[in-house]
Amino acid sequence: MMEVGGIRVQRRISVRKRSLPAGRSLLTPVKKKTNREDEDMNITCASRTMVQACGPEEEHPGLPPQPEDSVSDDDLFGEYDSFAEEASLLAEVDNLEKQWKQDSAADSPHGNPQQEAEDHSSCMTKKQDTLSSGAVQVLPHQSNQACMANATNKTGNVSEDSVDDFPCSQLPSEEIYQLTDVAANEDSSYPSDPSLLGTRDTFPCAVKDGRSDPSPKDISSSNCLTTARGEDMCADISRAVGIGTSSISRYDNEQGRRKSLKDSLKNALAGNAKGQSPQVSRTKQLKETTLMEEINVAKKTLETSSDLDLGPFYGLPSRVGDLIHQFRGIKKLYDWQHTCLTLESLKQRKNLIYSLPTSGGKTLVAEIVIFQELLCRQKDVLMILPYVAIVQEKVRGLSSFGVELDFLIEEYAGSKGRFPPIKRRTKKSLYIATIEKGHSLVNALIENGRISELGLVVVDELHMLGDGSRGAILEMTLAKLLYTSETTQIIGMSATLNNVGDLQRFLKAEYYTNNFRPVELKEYVKVRDSIYEVDNKEEDNFKFSRLLNYKYSSNMLRIDPDHIIALVAEVIPNNSCLVFCPTKKNCENVAEMICKYLSKAHLSHREAEKKTLIEFLKSAGNGSVCPVLERTVLFGIAYHHSGLTSDERKLVEEAYSSGVLCLLACTSTLAAGVNLPARRVILRAPYVARDFLKRAQYKQMIGRAGRAGIDSAGESILIIQEKDKLMVQDLVSKPLENCYSNLMHESGKGFQSLLLSLIGLKIAKTTEEIYHFVCYTLFSVQQSHLCKEKSLWDITKESLEILGNKGLICNKLCSETQQQIFEVSKLGQATYKGSIDLAYCDVLYQDLKKGLEGLVLESFLHLLYLVTPYDMVSQCSPDWMIYFRQFNQLKPTEQKVVATVGVPESFLARKVSCQTVKNSADSVVVNRLYLSFILYNLLKDTDIWSVSRKFNIPRGSVQTLLSSSASFSSCVLHFCEELDEFWAYKTLLLEVTKRLSYCVKAELIPLMEVAGVLEARAKQLYNAGYTSLAHLANGDPDTMVKAIENLSRRQARQIVSSAKILLHEKAEALQEEVEELLRLPQDLPAAIKETENPMINE
């Protein structure tokens, strides 16, 4: 303890010690101030508490010296203990308060304001002198009054340093000690005693509305003694003091019910000392702040960008460019990509079509535009891709960006997807969908009035508009977007477009094209043992290049007359090769043939990794592996077609991408699927099955040649026979095929579906409105070419009549307009909402209705029959012996299902014994039931290989049936939701759809919900301890790689990112559901009554 000037100050010795500059109090460290000579000088009447202590020269001999550099921000009260426990300090404050009261009572109520102002100024000067000399004083909060009590006749100038700032820890209490500007506010609601203006209880806002914190307006009105122009403050101080001294008598009367200064000071300082600041990760906070700042800059950049200033990264945060480099390995964009991203049409948000050769980098441009929409414009985005496998690959590839840039990715493929999508509270969503699911999603958004939430729609492979019924669905989707939303931008891309003018008119779009390829492509044609380079300058388009130099025995030449072995031996195993074959069986034969005559030296190339791949193929097949793959993989060769299971296909693709496999014998579907480039591409024949190649198919296949960043050039070799030479000359030189509307495909089925959904969604009601919408379609642009004999008006009226005859729509007279309007029937609404093919909607309705009469729920067989796809029936050829054997293995109750659907036991018995069938059963029902037997065995065994052997069909066909049934089951579920009579099916089909979607044991389903995690990988993860979605989302990729065989770090990172995206999506959905439950209904009766009669509560 030490005593200086009668003040006792208790100190404690802390581990962290510091010294303060001279003239600063240890109790109230002063913040740095910015001195501005041209600013008004603000002096707060609420002077800060100061403690009378020793000067800087006086030190206690018992205390250790404090180093100059040990200043800490953690202890803003210095080395002192709590003020609340310092009796001497509080006693001094109390004495000063009493002394002021006594002196004030002796003064006349009508004192001299000028003299009192001088006294106040003198006190302020004295305080400044004390600070400059290093003394530390204690002044109570109402320092004005203390100055008046001890006033002398001295005057002086008040400087800015005469008022101390609060330390950081006391900032929350600063507003407590703000005094009201008495001179500016003479309202009677303010207390008359200036000594009490510092307490929160005296704020007018607290009196008026009971709020615990003053409003900005209240705080502004309570700022005391502020000079507006930096002039002499004496007049303002005099007015304040005058008012204060005239009301001193009121203080004594109210003293008993008001808080004393000592209590106020004690509570405020003690409360601040106990206050704790929240624990926030500064790294995370800084990261989020930086990203938000860059996004704000990017928003302004998009609005005001010029060719010279595009902002950090094409109007996006610079972090996006860093992530593209990190996840894609792309440091710099190609020149054409830069040009495309800076097109005036994109800046003005016009629709755009752009076309470049395969592997030119089209997708990256689309992704950057998607990021702009999600981050800068804060709108949802829909990306439409042609196949389920590509959707899943894109979800995996973009999940890492979603995690880092804080947006959601939702998969709409197969049975996945919510209709309508959940309306997110804060984050924006990227919907990645197949053509069919994208159409259903747009329908749901239109129906719920949310289509404006969709800021951008990106269509990959825009040429799919010409692809049969799927092309018709894509055209419907785009036409609805054009008609219903003026703010939604559409971007289409393709490598194989010809009649771009028609597409521009349809989409009202700009067009950009470029012939850029990152790797040069050289096209060749092989006839016998001669190789010709494709050269359009030559008369026959072929220029001789070289002869094959490979020794063939007579036996080899007989087996390989096309010299495929010679062509592949030139590139493998050090480089990769794709061999496109006409059929699936030909793929397997070519793979085996190459291995038979390939050098044994190929066996040693990455031998251990190839053996590991075979083990994983066995694991994926529950111990079974294709014998062809088992032989060919050892040579680094495999086949790739729809006959593979999903797990096998994924393993083969990953092995080829990593270089473990160097050659794939594949069908044309690979060209339109995942990106698997090669050094050389060989086309086994100019045919796909029995059909001659189209120019677009040819360009897609040869476009896989050349790997950017690896090869300096890519090669394609088309093997032809002499009889096909003329057709091939035309193939390599003719322009691409035109893209035509398919709305009239299959007798106008697509056109009728479009009209049904227009009426159901209330987009159009009358014939004129429907015709007006039809003018927005690609068919209307090409109608004169596609349907010359009928006008668009006639086609529209005929289609409406067909829908009416089927009972899907009806017309009635509108009482308001006296016009005939169309409405959908219950069946029509169920049909378009369930995306049911018009050819099957009647049959499906009858089957479901008949099923209710005797629905057997002892097993899944009856329900599986109801969700077996109709379009797969024609591909089914039952084996009658297997059929009858499966029937006999059924339980008696299950055999009733067979009889109920219309297949009697006698029919099967006669078929298996090859006897004449007198009463023939419906072939559609018979074949559909056979397919349902396959599905039933799948749900029981969950093993595709076992079921494949049991029914003697390819495992790939079983896989296709399973996937199609899961999708159709989802459609039937939505169909039943619209029909009250089928209420019983709703819950039942929900479970059936889930089981068909995964077809695995229940414990693996949470893992398989993650994009890219199939059954084999799910088993590995489960056995390694990753048993839930949360485990995957919080997993460490490095730990995962160590625990799981054959898992690369890139794959592990994608799994973790996909799991995080899915987890965030589910969490957002639950939070939205909670908020929806707690949200006050707008049509609440009480609220309505209050609005209508505001005097109801009075």
Side-chain angles (χ1 to χ4, degrees):
M1 297 295 295
M2 60 180 290
E3 293 187 16
V4 179
I7 302 282
R8 298 173 69 251
V9 181
Q10 181 181 3
R11 292 198 178 189
R12 60 173 178 166
I13 298 176
S14 173
V15 176
R16 291 191 301 272
K17 299 178 181 177
R18 63 188 180 186
S19 63
L20 298 176
R24 299 300 183 192
S25 167
L26 288 172
L27 294 178
T28 54
V30 181
K31 296 186 297 183
K32 293 184 180 180
K33 294 184 179 182
T34 303
N35 296 320
R36 300 180 183 176
E37 295 180 359
D38 57 340
E39 285 188 355
D40 300 339
M41 184 167 51
N42 298 323
I43 299 179
T44 306
C45 183
S47 302
R48 310 306 192 248
T49 305
M50 304 180 64
V51 181
Q52 179 81 29
C54 62
E57 302 299 328
E58 300 181 49
E59 296 184 0
H60 194 279
L63 292 177
Q66 299 179 5
E68 294 290 335
D69 299 331
S70 62
V71 179
S72 170
D73 292 333
D74 293 336
D75 186 7
L76 295 177
F77 286 103
E79 301 294 338
Y80 291 90
D81 285 330
S82 171
F83 289 107
E85 298 175 1
E86 180 51 61
S88 60
L89 171 62
L90 298 177
E92 180 66 10
V93 171
D94 197 29
N95 290 336
L96 288 172
E97 182 179 0
K98 290 178 181 178
Q99 183 180 356
W100 175 82
K101 294 174 187 176
Q102 294 172 1
D103 293 344
S104 298
D107 293 338
S108 171
H110 305 285
N112 187 347
Q114 182 176 359
Q115 180 64 37
E116 289 172 357
E118 292 176 357
D119 291 78
H120 175 79
S121 299
S122 174
C123 180
M124 298 292 283
T125 306
K126 182 178 179 181
K127 177 182 177 183
Q128 178 188 4
D129 294 340
T130 305
L131 283 173
S132 61
S133 65
V136 184
Q137 301 181 5
V138 176
L139 293 177
H141 172 65
Q142 58 276 33
S143 55
N144 288 346
Q145 292 78 0
C147 288
M148 289 188 293
N150 299 285
T152 65
N153 290 329
K154 299 178 182 179
T155 60
N157 295 327
V158 180
S159 68
E160 201 176 37
D161 290 336
S162 63
V163 181
D164 291 350
D165 283 348
F166 272 90
C168 298
S169 64
Q170 295 185 28
L171 286 178
S173 295
E174 184 173 1
E175 62 187 47
I176 298 178
Y177 294 100
Q178 298 258 340
L179 296 181
T180 308
D181 186 350
V182 186
N185 299 278
E186 298 183 1
D187 194 292
S188 61
S189 62
Y190 284 82
S192 58
D193 187 358
S195 68
L196 297 175
L197 289 172
T199 61
R200 185 178 296 268
D201 296 341
T202 61
F203 273 110
C205 62
V207 175
K208 288 184 287 185
D209 54 20
R211 288 178 290 154
S212 60
D213 292 323
S215 66
K217 180 178 179 181
D218 297 329
I219 295 174
S220 175
S221 66
S222 64
N223 291 333
C224 55
L225 298 178
T226 302
T227 57
R229 295 174 299 278
E231 299 174 353
D232 188 4
M233 297 180 295
C234 290
D236 292 333
I237 297 173
S238 298
R239 287 195 299 271
V241 173
I243 295 172
T245 54
S246 67
S247 58
I248 290 175
S249 60
R250 268 185 269 177
Y251 173 82
D252 293 330
N253 297 331
E254 299 178 3
Q255 182 178 9
R257 61 184 179 86
R258 295 193 177 183
K259 188 184 294 185
S260 69
L261 173 65
K262 182 175 73 173
D263 293 337
S264 299
L265 184 62
K266 176 180 177 181
N267 292 338
L269 294 179
N272 286 325
K274 294 176 182 178
Q276 296 181 356
S277 18
Q279 299 296 321
V280 181
S281 170
R282 291 186 60 82
T283 304
K284 182 178 180 182
Q285 192 176 25
L286 182 62
K287 176 180 174 183
E288 292 177 352
T289 302
T290 304
L291 182 61
M292 290 307 299
E293 288 177 354
E294 290 195 346
I295 288 175
N296 291 332
V297 171
K299 288 180 182 177
K300 296 178 181 178
T301 302
L302 286 173
E303 296 171 358
T304 61
S305 61
S306 65
D307 292 337
L308 300 177
D309 181 14
L310 291 175
F313 183 77
Y314 298 97
L316 284 163
S318 56
R319 177 155 178 74
V320 176
D322 298 336
L323 291 174
I324 290 175
H325 181 207
Q326 178 183 345
F327 298 140
R328 302 287 170 79
I330 299 173
K331 297 181 180 178
K332 183 181 178 182
L333 270 62
Y334 297 129
D335 291 341
W336 83 263
Q337 291 173 326
H338 172 80
T339 303
C340 188
L341 285 168
T342 54
L343 288 173
E344 198 63 33
S345 56
L346 280 182
K347 296 178 186 177
Q348 296 176 6
R349 289 185 56 74
K350 294 181 179 179
N351 296 342
L352 176 68
I353 300 171
Y354 64 99
S355 177
L356 280 95
T358 303
S359 304
K362 298 184 295 296
T363 304
L364 180 60
V365 170
E367 289 175 355
I368 291 175
V369 177
I370 287 172
F371 295 153
Q372 289 175 347
E373 197 70 29
L374 290 167
L375 302 181
C376 302
R377 298 189 181 95
Q378 293 290 302
K379 290 280 190 176
D380 295 332
V381 177
L382 169 61
M383 189 176 195
I384 299 177
L385 302 171
Y387 304 111
V388 174
I390 304 178
V391 169
Q392 293 172 343
E393 182 190 31
K394 186 60 64 178
V395 170
R396 291 196 304 271
L398 290 177
S399 291
S400 300
F401 290 93
V403 171
E404 294 293 332
L405 299 176
D406 201 29
F407 62 84
L408 298 173
I409 298 176
E410 300 185 42
E411 180 182 343
Y412 280 76
S415 60
K416 293 184 178 180
R418 295 186 182 93
F419 302 105
I422 294 175
K423 190 171 184 178
R424 305 297 178 182
R425 300 176 306 114
T426 54
K427 297 182 180 181
K428 296 304 171 184
S429 294
L430 168 59
Y431 308 113
I432 303 179
T434 57
I435 292 173
E436 294 80 6
K437 288 292 183 178
H439 181 230
S440 299
L441 178 63
V442 169
N443 282 347
L445 290 173
I446 293 173
E447 184 178 18
N448 288 270
R450 292 171 50 192
I451 193 64
S452 59
E453 296 175 9
L454 212 55
L456 174 68
V457 174
V458 175
V459 181
D460 195 8
E461 310 295 353
L462 188 61
H463 61 269
M464 292 289 291
L465 280 166
D467 184 27
S469 59
R470 304 191 76 221
I473 295 173
L474 180 57
E475 183 178 345
M476 288 185 242
T477 304
L478 296 176
K480 289 173 183 175
L481 287 167
L482 290 167
Y483 190 86
T484 59
S485 177
E486 296 181 355
T487 59
T488 303
Q489 184 182 19
I490 299 174
I491 294 179
M493 52 182 171
S494 175
T496 55
L497 289 178
N498 187 31
N499 56 332
V500 179
D502 289 350
L503 300 180
Q504 282 186 267
R505 288 173 58 194
F506 167 45
L507 295 177
K508 301 176 179 60
E510 302 288 325
Y511 179 59
Y512 175 82
T513 186
N514 197 302
N515 291 324
F516 171 82
R517 271 187 61 93
V519 178
E520 182 187 3
L521 174 61
K522 296 179 181 179
E523 297 179 45
Y524 297 96
V525 171
K526 188 190 85 67
V527 185
R528 297 191 183 93
D529 59 351
S530 300
I531 296 179
Y532 299 86
E533 184 177 357
V534 175
D535 188 351
N536 293 330
K537 297 177 182 178
E538 297 292 325
E539 185 176 352
D540 59 356
N541 296 317
F542 298 150
K543 181 174 72 174
F544 178 78
S545 176
R546 64 187 176 95
L547 286 172
L548 276 175
N549 184 20
Y550 192 89
K551 293 181 180 180
Y552 266 77
S553 65
S554 58
N555 190 40
M556 280 182 64
L557 195 59
R558 180 176 58 83
I559 295 176
D560 183 24
D562 296 324
H563 305 92
I564 296 176
I565 296 172
L567 294 174
V568 302
E570 292 177 349
V571 291
I572 65 170
N574 296 322
N575 291 294
S576 57
C577 182
L578 294 175
V579 181
F580 284 99
C581 303
T583 64
K584 291 186 284 187
K585 187 61 178 176
N586 192 230
C587 291
E588 300 177 27
N589 293 339
V590 167
E592 284 205 282
M593 178 196 69
I594 294 173
C595 294
K596 186 175 182 179
Y597 290 100
L598 211 55
S599 169
K600 302 301 180 184
H602 288 79
L603 292 171
S604 59
H605 181 75
R606 305 183 73 163
E607 183 178 5
E609 292 169 278
K610 288 185 286 192
K611 289 182 178 179
T612 302
L613 175 59
I614 292 175
E615 291 301 315
F616 277 103
L617 288 170
K618 286 182 179 178
S619 176
N622 291 319
S624 301
V625 64
C626 173
V628 176
L629 286 177
E630 194 170 19
R631 290 190 294 267
T632 61
V633 165
L634 294 175
F635 286 88
I637 297 172
Y639 62 86
H640 184 287
H641 55 62
S642 60
L644 296 172
T645 65
S646 299
D647 286 305
E648 287 176 324
R649 189 182 303 117
K650 185 172 175 54
L651 287 169
V652 167
E653 289 171 357
E654 289 176 351
Y656 178 81
S657 298
S658 62
V660 176
L661 297 177
C662 56
L663 184 145
L664 292 182
C666 52
T667 55
S668 59
T669 54
L670 184 140
V674 294
N675 186 23
L676 297 175
R679 174 70 172 81
R680 174 176 289 179
V681 169
I682 300 171
L683 279 69
R684 173 73 177 77
Y687 291 90
V688 174
R690 297 181 180 180
D691 300 326
F692 195 80
L693 268 182
K694 295 179 181 178
R695 173 70 173 170
Q697 292 173 322
Y698 171 74
K699 294 292 286 185
Q700 276 193 324
M701 290 181 189
I702 67 173
R704 296 299 183 190
R707 299 165 295 175
I710 300 176
D711 301 324
S712 57
E715 298 174 343
S716 70
I717 301 175
L718 172 59
I719 300 173
I720 65 173
Q721 308 299 323
E722 282 289 347
K723 64 183 180 65
D724 296 325
K725 191 171 183 179
L726 291 177
M727 296 175 67
V728 171
Q729 286 175 354
D730 185 50
L731 173 68
V732 298
S733 60
K734 70 179 182 181
L736 293 163
E737 293 82 10
N738 288 336
C739 179
Y740 291 114
S741 169
N742 275 271
L743 284 181
M744 297 305 294
H745 182 66
E746 296 183 12
S747 303
K749 188 169 63 178
F751 196 87
Q752 296 163 21
S753 296
L754 173 61
L755 301 192
L756 177 63
S757 62
L758 290 182
I759 298 169
L761 294 170
K762 297 181 174 57
I763 296 175
K765 296 181 179 179
T766 66
T767 307
E768 291 76 15
E769 290 175 348
I770 294 171
Y771 175 76
H772 183 252
F773 177 94
V774 170
C775 293
Y776 278 75
T777 62
L778 177 61
F779 177 73
S780 70
V781 174
Q782 300 173 334
Q783 188 267 332
S784 59
H785 177 76
L786 296 175
C787 193
K788 297 179 181 179
E789 65 276 6
K790 293 181 182 178
S791 67
L792 192 59
W793 175 261
D794 292 336
I795 296 172
T796 303
K797 292 187 69 175
E798 286 182 8
S799 299
L800 289 171
E801 289 178 6
I802 293 172
L803 292 174
N805 294 335
K806 288 184 176 181
L808 300 176
I809 63 171
C810 58
N811 60 346
K812 68 175 186 178
L813 184 67
C814 179
S815 58
E816 297 178 358
T817 62
Q818 298 301 314
Q819 283 185 304
Q820 289 287 333
I821 61 172
F822 292 96
E823 290 182 350
V824 292
S825 64
K826 285 288 187 180
L827 178 60
Q829 183 167 333
T831 300
Y832 90 81
K833 280 202 172 184
S835 301
I836 303 298
D837 194 315
L838 293 183
Y840 308 127
C841 62
D842 290 333
V843 181
L844 175 62
Y845 178 80
Q846 294 298 331
D847 285 344
L848 291 171
K849 191 172 183 179
K850 185 178 180 181
L852 286 178
E853 297 174 2
L855 190 62
V856 178
L857 297 179
E858 187 172 326
S859 68
F860 281 101
L861 180 60
H862 201 166
L863 292 172
L864 288 173
Y865 172 79
L866 295 174
V867 299
T868 301
Y870 292 98
D871 55 1
M872 296 198 70
V873 171
S874 60
Q875 306 170 24
C876 175
S877 298
D879 183 316
W880 298 110
M881 184 61 71
I882 297 174
Y883 205 151
F884 191 67
R885 186 185 304 125
Q886 289 296 316
F887 172 81
N888 288 327
Q889 291 176 0
L890 296 176
K891 299 175 183 178
T893 52
E894 293 173 334
Q895 289 181 352
K896 290 181 181 178
V897 175
V898 178
T900 301
V901 300
V903 182
E905 181 180 0
S906 60
F907 171 82
L908 295 177
R910 287 181 176 273
K911 276 290 186 181
V912 76
S913 61
C914 298
Q915 298 180 16
T916 304
V917 179
K918 296 181 180 179
N919 299 320
S920 179
D922 187 346
S923 60
V924 173
V925 175
V926 171
N927 291 358
R928 196 172 179 224
L929 182 62
Y930 187 72
L931 294 177
S932 65
F933 280 178
I934 299 174
L935 293 173
Y936 185 47
N937 278 270
L938 267 176
L939 289 191
K940 289 194 297 184
D941 295 344
T942 68
D943 181 7
I944 290 178
W945 276 90
S946 173
V947 175
S948 172
R949 287 190 292 265
K950 187 179 294 185
F951 286 85
N952 195 26
I953 55 176
R955 64 193 183 282
S957 299
V958 178
Q959 177 79 70
T960 303
L961 173 63
L962 181 62
S963 302
S964 299
S965 299
S967 297
F968 187 64
S969 178
S970 177
C971 293
V972 176
L973 173 60
H974 293 304
F975 181 88
C976 293
E977 287 175 344
E978 300 301 321
L979 297 169
D980 294 337
E981 58 192 298
F982 294 148
W983 61 269
Y985 286 120
K986 296 176 185 178
T987 305
L988 297 172
L989 291 180
L990 197 62
E991 180 64 22
V992 172
T993 303
K994 185 177 181 180
R995 285 178 173 263
L996 289 173
S997 298
Y998 301 106
C999 197
V1000 293
K1001 294 181 179 179
E1003 61 264 23
L1004 298 181
I1005 290 178
L1007 304 181
M1008 292 186 65
E1009 289 180 341
V1010 178
V1013 177
L1014 299 178
E1015 183 178 3
R1017 185 70 77 198
K1019 289 178 180 177
Q1020 287 181 305
L1021 291 167
Y1022 189 86
N1023 293 332
Y1026 297 94
T1027 59
S1028 68
L1029 180 61
H1031 285 154
L1032 293 182
N1034 295 283
D1036 176 50
D1038 293 328
T1039 305
M1040 201 175 287
V1041 169
K1042 294 176 182 177
I1044 297 172
E1045 292 183 87
N1046 199 36
L1047 181 70
S1048 68
R1049 192 178 187 283
R1050 180 184 64 85
Q1051 294 166 344
R1053 191 173 62 241
Q1054 284 185 342
I1055 289 174
V1056 172
S1057 298
S1058 299
K1060 285 182 179 178
I1061 284 289
L1062 183 59
L1063 192 65
H1064 291 165
E1065 178 192 335
K1066 290 190 172 187
E1068 284 276 327
L1070 291 173
Q1071 289 171 358
E1072 177 62 28
E1073 187 176 347
V1074 170
E1075 289 195 359
E1076 183 66 28
L1077 288 172
L1078 298 178
R1079 191 175 291 127
L1080 184 68
Q1082 295 181 354
D1083 56 349
L1084 190 66
I1088 294 175
K1089 290 178 182 178
E1090 282 188 26
T1091 305
E1092 293 175 351
N1093 186 9
M1095 302 296 292
I1096 194 170
N1097 294 324
E1098 296 182 5

